[in-house]
Amino acid sequence: METLAFYLLKSVIWLTGFTLVFILFLRNERFFLLNRIYLLTGILTSFLFPLVSIHYTVVLPLVRDLQPVNAVVSEIQDAGHSIIPDIKLMLLVLYVSGVLFVLTLIIKQGRSVLRTIKKSEIIALDPVKLIRTPDYTSAFSFFSYVFVNPSITDVETKEIVNHELVHIRQKHWFDLVLVELLCMMQWFNPLVWMYVRFIRQNHEYLADQVAMQRTSHPAIYRAALLNQIVGSPVFSLANSFNYSLNKKRFTMMKNIISSPYRKMKILFILPVFAIVFYAFAKPDYQYISQADNQGIQNLSSQASDKKVKGTIVEQNGTPLPGVSVIVANTTTGTTTDD
């Protein structure tokens, strides 16, 4: 239980760091592909980096264990240990219940979409499979399937398929699967739901960017978006055509050239790596006895405090009279001269 809780804590902190950097520095940038890579990296980091720990060595003197002398203290400790397992069990049950609840919602939504696929006529538009169904008012894509309401005109349908084709070719479903797994794991974290919105919103920016380059009628494309404003997202694993339909989405469609140096903002995530790794670094304690410690000190003292005496000789080996070299013992502070 403690291992799972510590893993979740580190996972939440990693995701928090990525979310804050994205909000402060990257959210309004038009480098949509770079933002997608960044957001995916945040998910994978939240999964994997909590398993990584940095160790450093701390040398401490060895202290003998002291026997407990107070029986009352022992009784209080025993009582505390009997209460803690109950709290841990309750927290574990609560966490698992939340995971199962989120999983149930995903399965329920998925079954509804699969039922629609089975009962509907599929129009093959390689690589897109188009389904016209009155079950949903908003157009969306689910893997290679594109769902469109029959009330939508053929002209608008063409623009919608053009948009959803980008989601399919860029495999945005992979991002959504990962983020849904993250939601199940961190359902209690408010930032994880914000992170989902950032990923889905960035998907629409990517699709709009490519679709606007391919369409010959940008005005019709924008009109198709506005006509979908009454719809709502259907499935968490689906890319909805009208997702995040607001003024900012239309603003992001404008072809504004940004300085490539603004991409350097992504480096603001590096201090997050340093802080988190430092905060969760684990000390490896190395204990040495007082005797070993004293021996090391004596050895060091002997190596530095030895008294050495020598003489200077000529080339033929004859000592020079009245000349000698003496290194004094720093412990006694005595010197001699010959």
Side-chain angles (χ1 to χ4, degrees):
M1 178 61 185
E2 290 86 354
T3 303
L4 175 62
F6 194 57
Y7 172 85
L8 291 175
L9 173 63
K10 292 197 288 186
S11 180
V12 168
I13 291 176
W14 276 114
L15 187 70
T16 300
F18 271 84
T19 304
L20 293 178
V21 171
F22 186 82
I23 292 174
L24 294 175
F25 304 108
L26 302 173
R27 186 178 184 181
N28 296 319
E29 297 297 333
R30 287 179 168 81
F31 305 111
F32 305 131
L33 180 58
L34 181 63
N35 281 350
R36 183 191 181 190
I37 295 173
Y38 173 87
L39 292 170
L40 277 177
T41 302
I43 297 176
L44 295 176
T45 299
S46 299
F47 283 138
L48 301 178
F49 274 37
L51 302 175
V52 178
S53 60
I54 297 177
H55 296 258
Y56 60 94
T57 303
V58 178
V59 179
L60 296 174
L62 182 63
V63 180
R64 295 181 179 179
D65 295 334
L66 298 178
Q67 296 295 330
V69 296
N70 195 335
V72 177
V73 174
S74 300
E75 294 178 0
I76 294 176
Q77 291 177 346
D78 294 339
H81 288 312
S82 63
I83 295 174
I84 291 176
D86 295 335
I87 298 176
K88 291 179 179 179
L89 180 60
M90 292 174 60
L91 292 176
L92 180 61
V93 171
L94 179 62
Y95 174 74
V96 173
S97 300
V99 172
L100 294 177
F101 178 75
V102 175
L103 179 61
T104 301
L105 288 180
I106 296 174
I107 294 175
K108 183 178 179 181
Q109 293 172 348
R111 291 180 61 184
S112 175
V113 174
L114 291 176
R115 282 197 300 266
T116 302
I117 293 175
K118 289 182 180 180
K119 72 178 183 180
S120 303
E121 179 184 359
I122 300 176
I123 303 173
L125 301 173
D126 190 44
V128 174
K129 300 179 181 67
L130 179 64
I131 296 179
R132 287 183 172 272
T133 174
D135 294 346
Y136 309 110
T137 57
S138 174
F140 67 95
S141 62
F142 175 67
F143 292 93
S144 61
Y145 294 92
V146 176
F147 297 79
V148 178
N149 193 279
S151 62
I152 299 176
T153 64
D154 292 339
V155 177
E156 290 184 351
T157 300
K158 181 180 177 181
E159 298 297 336
I160 292 173
V161 171
N162 184 32
H163 173 95
E164 299 299 334
L165 185 59
V166 181
H167 291 306
I168 295 172
R169 286 179 172 172
Q170 294 188 1
K171 294 179 172 51
H172 290 170
W173 60 265
F174 178 76
D175 308 28
L176 297 178
V177 169
L178 285 181
V179 80
E180 287 302 317
L181 292 175
L182 187 65
C183 285
M184 285 192 293
M185 186 177 74
Q186 294 189 24
W187 59 266
F188 54 88
N189 181 15
L191 289 180
V192 76
W193 304 104
M194 188 181 298
Y195 207 82
V196 174
R197 179 173 178 81
F198 291 151
I199 287 181
R200 296 173 64 86
Q201 191 178 58
N202 192 66
H203 284 174
E204 299 310 316
Y205 294 158
L206 280 166
D208 288 337
Q209 184 182 53
V210 178
M212 288 292 289
Q213 294 172 357
R214 292 177 178 174
T215 184
S216 55
H217 304 285
I220 296 178
Y221 180 82
R222 292 188 178 92
L225 273 176
L226 292 173
N227 289 338
Q228 295 289 306
I229 198 169
V230 296
S232 59
V234 178
F235 183 28
S236 57
L237 290 177
N239 290 108
S240 297
F241 181 65
N242 67 336
Y243 187 84
S244 188
L245 186 55
N246 50 33
K247 182 179 179 180
K248 183 178 179 181
R249 181 168 171 182
F250 285 101
T251 302
M252 287 297 191
M253 292 182 192
K254 296 179 180 179
N255 187 18
I256 299 176
I257 300 176
S258 301
S259 171
Y261 293 103
R262 297 175 69 90
K263 294 181 180 180
M264 301 296 289
K265 288 184 176 182
I266 200 171
L267 297 179
F268 282 108
I269 195 61
L270 295 182
V272 174
F273 277 75
I275 292 172
V276 177
F277 275 130
Y278 177 80
F280 290 103
K282 294 182 178 180
D284 290 332
Y285 296 104
Q286 180 179 349
Y287 296 95
I288 59 174
S289 64
Q290 294 181 355
D292 294 336
N293 189 30
Q294 187 65 33
I296 294 174
Q297 292 179 354
N298 293 337
L299 182 62
S300 176
S301 177
Q302 292 173 7
S304 60
D305 296 344
K306 284 184 177 180
K307 179 180 179 181
V308 180
K309 179 178 180 180
T311 59
I312 299 177
V313 299
E314 296 180 354
Q315 292 183 356
N316 57 7
T318 304
L320 291 177
V323 179
S324 64
V325 178
I326 300 176
V327 177
N329 189 325
T330 58
T331 303
T332 61
T334 61
T335 58
T336 61
D337 189 9
D338 292 339

